[in-house]
Amino acid sequence: MNLSLYRFGSFIVFITLFFSCTKIITTDIGSGLIPPVDGVITKDTLLTILSKNVGYDTISVGISDDHVLGYTNDPIFGTTAASLNFQVAPPSHPFSWGFDKKDIVLDSVVLCLDYKGSWGDSLQPLKLRVYSMDPEVIFRSDSAYRNTTTFLKGQELTEFNVAHTVDITKLNDVDTTDETYKEVTTNQIRIRLNNAFGQKLIDLDSASVYQSDSTFYNYLRGLIVEPEQTGQALLHVNLADTTTHLSLYYHKDTVTATRRFSPDVLTSASSNSILRDYSNTAIPGYIASHADNDAEIFMEASPGIRASLKTPALDSLKNMIVHRAEILMYQVPDDDTDIFTPPNLFLAAHSDSADRSFAIPNDITFYGNSISNLAQFGVAPKVLADSRSIYYSFDISRYVQGIVTNGEPVYDLVLIAPYNQYVYPTINSLYAIPISSPTLNTVATGRVRLGGGSANQYTMKLHIVYSLIK
């Protein structure tokens, strides 16, 4: 989303005029508190926010969730290399090939991955390689592996040991190009593997290796699908979908057959290695800096970066009727915002003494063990009027009203772009709940650079519309 400086300048003039008005045309929040008497003066004010990039998040991806696979090289956010690590299980126990093994002629071996979409530049192809996992690796279905975990590779399995090229623009097309069976497929990444690998699977002793899933995993510890450092996109892949499988095509005489080995959500181990490298960007310098107010805030869908926000002037406000209090955050545009789209964000309160992040008091609504007002709270990016740039507006009106009226505590705030993170409903809650289910962002998908509290043109601010009574 490239920004027109002229149009953005027009917006700044407009917003300045708007903020200088003392008569508010429309407001809903707090309107019921205004008494029907003369002497109500409605004003607005802008309060300074101190913003700081404070660190990095790590996450683990469940086998049933969408994973990411691919490579990006972003001049603002650095590089991302995302790999899949997973096990496949035999289709049945006891397992049979249907023919005597000595009569089987193997035609091809294809690793098929369910394709759910992409993020980034789909015009640039990706290159993928497939490996077996080293048999000495410990890889268990009852373990949750963080995105920073990688596994030792064994033998390369990609056909002819040549990287498979993925043309992202054609993944939604109907594919009838399988050289052996002309299968009709769509929304599927199909990677040809070496026939020698398939022949080894056929030659294995059925009585021992194919006795159970666990005995098979002892032979084939797992598969690793890894990108080369080319391309500019992350593919969304689901391992639990029925279209993800390792397919062996073979025949005896004129009779053809197929056996498919698929991930089992109960027995198969899986993980998504997502390696972020920020070394050639400004981000590490901001995080390491001792300054308490950064000019830029970097938000990346988890695993990514988290930031802290402080509102030091809140506890000095006089009692007032708060019609709306919103934290406004503006995108600092760059040349790649067309391909690297923004994520959803979440803002929480944080207490160092309680050592936890929790929902901002009064402004988050719960329905059972879930948050029901995420859209109204302001998690989604919005497009500026007459512009292609975006901003976020977090509604913290009731939180501010509680501070100015009842002397409730002022908390530091934490800003993240969550995938599967949890939050405590209150500072004293015993159990945390998911911020969103389904997840607020697809893992690793979305990034935005925001103006911080010390920015000039894109300054983060707290805007309060309020009334005083004479």
Side-chain angles (χ1 to χ4, degrees), residues 221-238:
R221 184 69 69 203
L223 298 174
I224 298 173
V225 186
E226 184 177 273
E228 291 192 343
Q229 294 184 359
T230 59
Q232 194 70 304
L234 299 178
L235 308 179
H236 300 156
V237 174
N238 194 285

Side-chain angles (χ1 to χ4, degrees), residues 51-57 74-78 276 278 280-287 294-309 329-334 343 345 392 415-417 446-453 460:
S51 59
K52 184 77 180 78
N53 300 279
V54 295
Y56 309 100
D57 290 328
D74 184 340
I76 307 297
F77 283 79
R276 308 281 205 188
Y278 304 106
N280 293 319
T281 72
I283 294 171
Y286 275 117
I287 291 178
D294 289 342
E296 296 179 327
I297 296 297
F298 299 84
M299 286 288 106
E300 200 170 26
S302 292
I305 304 152
R306 63 184 183 276
S308 69
L309 311 182
M329 308 173 182
Y330 300 99
Q331 178 188 39
V332 179
D334 59 76
L345 303 182
Y392 298 82
L415 183 66
I416 58 174
R447 61 78 145 169
V448 64
R449 179 176 52 164
L450 302 169
M460 191 181 297

Side-chain angles (χ1 to χ4, degrees), residues 171-331:
L171 288 177
N172 289 323
D173 297 342
V174 174
D175 179 17
T176 59
T177 60
D178 187 276
E179 295 177 7
T180 306
Y181 290 98
K182 305 298 182 184
E183 284 191 306
V184 177
T185 64
T186 187
N187 295 320
Q188 195 177 69
I189 304 162
R190 296 174 65 84
I191 306 172
R192 288 287 295 266
L193 305 185
N194 289 318
N195 273 15
F197 166 64
Q199 190 61 52
K200 288 181 179 179
L201 293 179
I202 293 173
D203 293 339
L204 291 173
D205 180 52
S206 298
S208 57
V209 174
Y210 289 108
Q211 183 179 3
S212 66
D213 287 357
S214 59
T215 57
F216 181 74
Y217 299 150
N218 286 336
Y219 169 75
L220 182 60
R221 184 69 69 203
L223 298 174
I224 298 173
V225 186
E226 184 177 273
E228 291 192 343
Q229 294 184 359
T230 59
Q232 194 70 304
L234 299 178
L235 308 179
H236 300 156
V237 174
N238 194 285
L239 298 179
D241 193 280
T242 56
T243 56
T244 293
H245 45 253
L246 176 67
S247 293
L248 277 77
Y249 303 100
Y250 56 97
H251 70 274
K252 175 188 175 184
D253 299 327
T254 60
V255 181
T256 61
T258 304
R259 290 293 183 269
R260 292 193 167 104
F261 296 69
S262 304
D264 187 298
V265 295
L266 298 178
T267 68
S268 296
S270 70
S271 80
N272 201 170
S273 298
I274 307 167
L275 305 181
R276 308 281 205 188
D277 184 355
Y278 304 106
S279 58
N280 293 319
T281 72
I283 294 171
Y286 275 117
I287 291 178
S289 169
H290 296 294
D292 61 359
N293 199 11
D294 289 342
E296 296 179 327
I297 296 297
F298 299 84
M299 286 288 106
E300 200 170 26
S302 292
I305 304 152
R306 63 184 183 276
S308 69
L309 311 182
K310 298 178 185 292
T311 51
L314 265 185
D315 56 4
S316 62
L317 291 178
K318 296 179 180 180
N319 192 11
M320 61 180 65
I321 298 172
V322 178
H323 302 301
R324 183 170 178 85
E326 57 183 344
I327 294 182
L328 297 170
M329 308 173 182
Y330 300 99
Q331 178 188 39

